Amino acid sequence: MTLNHLFDLTVRTRPREVALEFYDSDKVLRTVSFEEVFLRSRRMVSVLQSRGVRTGDRLCVYLANSVGMIDLYLACVAMGVIFVPINVLYREREIGHILRDCEPMAVIVDGDVPAEGAVLWRLPALLAEASRASAEVALPSLDGDDAAAIIYTSGTTGTSKGAVLTHNNFAVNAINLNACWRIDESDRLLLALPLFHVHGLGNGLHCWLAAGCRLRLLERFDHRQAVDMFLDFRPTVFFGVPTMYVRLLEMPEEPAGEIGGFMRLFVCGSAPLPTQVLEEFNAKFAHIILERYGMTATLMNISNPYVGERRPGAVGLPLPGISVEVRDADGRVLPAGSAGELYVRGPNVFARYWRNPQATRAAFDDRGYFRTGDIGVRSADGYYTLQGRRSDLIISGGFNIYPREIEEFLAGQEGVREAAVAGVPDTIRGEVPVAYLVCDGDVDASALEDRCRSAFASFKIPRAFVRVPALPRTALGKVQKHLLPPVERGIA
C-alpha cells in the first residue's frame, strides 16, 4: 500500500465533504471538497507529465503554504516523483547545495528565488495549465518503499544531508498519530506550520488526508490574527511549535477561554517546550499541551498520551511499532534514570541519506537502530525526557541551526581569527544564536551581520557578536562553549 491508496480511502468515502479551506491571492476564503483535491492533483500530474517529468525525478519547491503546493505534492506522490521542499528563508548558498546534491528537474517558485542557473517553473503558470488539463492520466505502479520526499537536514559538520522518506514512512506516521491522538473525520485542523518543514508536511498534511477531517491552511502563523482565526474557524486540533504557544499566551482571557472550550487537542513539537509555558497555557486555555518528539529523518518517535498523564518536561512514550533505547558512548543500553544517546528503530525511520552511503552507514548500527544524536533519560515507568543534543544544535523557533556552518563562514571574514556560535535562551524563539569572535583588529559588527544576512536564512543570523580575547578550550583544543561569557558582556 502506498500513500495513494491511503488517501483514496478518504476521497472515495467523503468525496463531496469540504476538505480544505484556504485564502486565495485576493484574501478571499475558498473551500474545496476531497474529490476536488483529488482532481486538482491529477490535473497537475497531467501538466508535469507534459513537461517531461517522470517517476524517480526530483522536483524542488520553494514555496510558502498554498493550495498549489498541496496540488504539487499530491501529484508527485501519485507519479512516484520525489518531492524536495526548500525552506523559503534559505539563501543562495544554502539552496545551491541542495540543488547540486539532488539534481532536480526544476525548482517550482512563486516569486524571486536566489538560485542562479536553476531551471525555474512558475507556480501560477502551472496552475493555469492545470485548470485546462485533463484529470485522466496514466500512473505508474508504486511500492511502499519507494521514495516520496527528500527533506534536507543540517548535519553536525554543517553540510546538509537529504533524508529520503518513503511512502511507508509517511503512512505509518499518519496512522500512528491519528490513532494515538484520536484524529478523525469529525475534527477541524488549523495548520499554520510551513509545508516545507517535516512538521507541517509529515504530520499536518498526512494526518488530514488520512483522517478525512477539515483543514484550514494558513500561509503563516500571525499571532496578531490568532484570536480572529481561532474564533472564525473553531478548530478542534492545532499543531504548533513553542514560539507559537508563547505568542498565544498574549491572548486576552475572554477569547482564550472560549477557544479552550471548543478545542480538543493542542500539540507541540520541533523544539523543547518550557514547563512554565505549559503551565501558563493550561491556566489560560484549560488545556495541557501534548508534547511529542520527532526528527526530520524519523518523523514521530515518542509522544505523551492523549488519554493519561501528559508529564511536564517529558516527551512521553514510544509510539506503536517504534523501539527506543538509551545507550552510553560505547553503545551499551543504559537502565532507567541514566542519561545517554537515544537510538530509535521502526517503520517511521528514513530509508537512507540521498547519494550518501557513507553517512547512511554511520547513522545506523548493525541492529538497524538510528543514532539520533539526542540525549535523553527513560523513567522507571517508561516516559522519556530529552536533555539536549550530543552536538551543539540550536533550535530557534522550531528551526534547526548547526553552529559549525556559521562558524566556518565567520572565520573566513576579514579580521576574524576564530569564531564560536552558541545558543542563548530567548523567551519567544526558545534559543537564538550568538557569535563569539577572536579578532585580529577592529571588526564592524553591523557589516558582519549584513554579510551573514546575504549568506544565511534569517533565523541563522547571530543576534549578537561578542568579542573575546580567546575561546575557552580543552587540553585537546575543543571549544568549551559552556564557559563562554554571558551575552551582555562585550557585545561588539
Side-chain angles (χ1 to χ4, degrees):
M1 180 176 283
T2 68
L3 288 172
N4 298 311
H5 299 107
L6 186 64
F7 299 158
D8 279 351
L9 291 173
T10 296
V11 173
R12 292 178 186 276
T13 56
R14 296 175 59 76
R16 290 173 177 78
E17 297 294 330
V18 173
L20 173 65
E21 299 182 6
F22 63 95
Y23 289 95
D24 65 16
S25 57
D26 296 320
K27 307 303 180 184
V28 175
L29 186 65
R30 304 291 186 185
T31 63
V32 293
S33 68
F34 282 104
E35 184 175 54
E36 288 170 318
V37 169
F38 172 83
L39 292 173
R40 286 177 66 102
S41 70
R42 292 302 186 264
R43 294 188 187 104
M44 185 60 72
V45 167
S46 183
V47 171
L48 296 179
Q49 288 178 340
S50 72
R51 293 191 176 211
V53 181
R54 297 293 180 262
T55 301
D57 287 342
R58 277 78 58 206
L59 278 181
C60 286
V61 296
Y62 185 81
L63 297 169
N65 287 0
S66 68
V67 65
M69 190 171 180
I70 294 176
D71 294 344
L72 284 166
Y73 177 70
L74 295 180
C76 287
V77 164
M79 296 173 67
V81 171
I82 303 174
F83 186 81
V84 188
I86 300 176
N87 189 325
V88 297
L89 300 178
Y90 278 179
R91 310 303 299 165
E92 186 171 5
R93 182 172 180 267
E94 299 152 311
I95 296 170
H97 167 73
I98 292 174
L99 300 186
R100 289 189 297 272
D101 190 61
C102 76
E103 296 183 312
M105 186 167 184
V107 182
I108 300 172
V109 300
D110 187 19
D112 295 332
V113 58
E116 186 177 351
V119 175
L120 302 181
W121 290 351
R122 302 288 173 180
L123 179 61
L126 293 176
L127 293 174
E129 290 178 43
S131 67
R132 303 185 296 270
S134 171
E136 297 295 324
V137 292
L139 297 174
S141 176
L142 302 174
D143 184 82
D145 288 327
D146 286 334
I150 300 174
I151 314 291
Y152 278 81
T153 176
S154 296
T156 54
T157 63
T159 302
S160 186
K161 299 188 293 291
V164 178
L165 294 168
T166 67
H167 283 249
N168 281 340
N169 293 149
F170 282 122
V172 165
N173 186 70
I175 292 168
N176 260 352
L177 299 187
N178 284 352
C180 292
W181 297 347
R182 303 289 177 87
I183 299 172
D184 63 25
E185 62 188 35
S186 67
D187 277 308
R188 299 167 68 87
L189 172 61
L190 181 62
L191 188 62
L193 294 164
L195 296 180
F196 59 71
H197 193 282
V198 75
H199 192 168
L201 180 71
N203 293 356
L205 205 66
H206 290 82
C207 285
W208 158 57
L209 285 168
C213 62
R214 187 165 179 153
L215 172 73
R216 179 175 289 190
L217 181 69
L218 305 181
E219 183 176 340
R220 65 178 65 86
F221 177 78
D222 186 342
H223 70 281
R224 297 166 299 183
Q225 299 177 6
V227 170
D228 292 340
M229 195 59 61
F230 272 90
L231 293 180
D232 179 57
F233 182 57
R234 303 182 74 82
T236 59
V237 180
F238 179 75
F239 294 164
V241 299
T243 303
M244 294 179 180
Y245 288 109
V246 171
R247 290 296 194 182
L248 288 176
L249 285 175
E250 300 171 6
M251 190 179 293
E253 296 288 343
E254 186 174 343
E258 183 177 352
I259 290 166
F262 58 69
M263 279 293 300
R264 184 176 67 79
L265 178 64
F266 290 97
V267 181
C268 185
S270 295
L273 180 70
T275 299
Q276 180 183 354
V277 174
L278 184 143
E279 293 172 347
E280 291 179 4
F281 195 89
N282 187 28
K284 192 164 207 173
F285 289 84
H287 279 267
I288 299 175
I289 298 168
L290 189 150
E291 292 186 79
R292 85 301 180 281
Y293 162 59
M295 304 178 71
T296 298
T298 66
L299 301 172
M300 296 302 101
N301 300 309
I302 299 172
S303 172
N304 272 279
Y306 178 70
V307 177
E309 181 189 3
R310 299 180 192 174
R311 189 169 298 175
V315 290
L317 309 161
L319 289 163
I322 299 170
S323 300
V324 181
E325 294 182 348
V326 181
R327 302 189 193 176
D328 65 16
D330 296 319
R332 292 186 293 263
V333 178
L334 295 169
S338 298
E341 183 177 358
L342 297 184
Y343 283 59
V344 300
R345 182 178 67 185
N348 59 308
V349 178
F350 75 122
R352 63 189 182 280
Y353 286 118
W354 177 255
R355 292 178 176 172
N356 199 334
Q358 182 177 358
T360 302
R361 287 192 296 271
F364 292 88
D365 73 359
D366 55 7
R367 295 169 55 209
Y369 276 83
F370 174 65
R371 300 178 170 94
T372 68
D374 288 312
I375 303 300
V377 176
R378 180 176 61 85
S379 68
D381 59 352
Y383 278 71
Y384 285 80
T385 301
L386 300 182
Q387 294 192 339
R389 287 288 295 175
R390 185 185 62 185
S391 65
D392 53 359
L393 171 71
I394 300 167
I395 302 179
S396 183
F399 293 114
N400 290 354
I401 303 171
Y402 284 88
R404 183 168 174 179
E405 180 185 24
I406 306 169
E407 290 165 353
E408 290 177 349
F409 178 82
L410 292 173
Q413 305 304 306
E414 184 176 353
V416 178
R417 183 161 21 111
E418 294 181 295
V421 174
V424 299
D426 181 81
T427 55
I428 299 298
R429 302 192 66 80
E431 290 182 291
V432 293
V434 167
Y436 295 84
L437 308 175
V438 179
C439 303
D440 289 324
D442 291 334
V443 174
D444 186 340
S446 62
L448 204 55
E449 179 178 345
D450 288 342
R451 286 179 228 151
C452 287
R453 290 193 181 280
S454 68
F456 298 114
S458 59
F459 60 86
K460 296 182 183 179
I461 309 304
R463 297 308 191 266
F465 296 84
V466 183
R467 295 188 61 168
V468 293
L471 298 177
R473 296 181 182 273
T474 66
L476 296 177
K478 182 175 179 177
V479 176
Q480 296 177 291
K481 293 188 177 181
H482 64 286
L483 298 179
L484 290 165
V487 175
E488 57 267 24
R489 299 183 194 168
I491 297 178

